[in-house]
Amino acid sequence: MHWKIIALAFGWRLARDNDEEDLFVVYHPGRREHFSGEGAWRQAALRSIRAPRTDRDKGPRP
């Protein structure tokens, strides 16, 4: 899959660390989350695709 394209469509951006050339961080300007490492684009895309959890997902209330 092209995780980078999907994540970019949802507004995720790439930032590079000035001290370490190999380190990059995928972040979203509207969220506090960020991901780094090999699967960062994949994690960002999956985070955006997943629907928020609702009360119906939790089952009946006691």
Side-chain angles (χ1 to χ4, degrees):
M1 278 234 159
H2 300 285
W3 299 112
K4 183 177 180 180
I5 295 170
I6 296 169
L8 287 171
F10 281 104
W12 292 89
R13 301 291 173 244
L14 178 69
R16 296 187 187 272
D17 189 2
N18 293 336
D19 297 334
E20 296 182 38
E21 294 179 12
D22 296 339
L23 180 67
F24 68 91
V25 177
V26 177
Y27 73 97
H28 193 286
R31 298 182 180 193
R32 293 184 180 191
E33 297 174 300
H34 61 275
F35 302 103
S36 62
E38 210 173 291
W41 286 114
R42 180 179 183 268
Q43 290 174 334
L46 291 176
R47 174 64 71 186
S48 295
I49 292 170
R50 289 192 185 118
R53 190 177 171 113
T54 63
D55 287 339
R56 281 189 262 156
D57 296 337
K58 296 177 186 174
R61 291 187 180 185

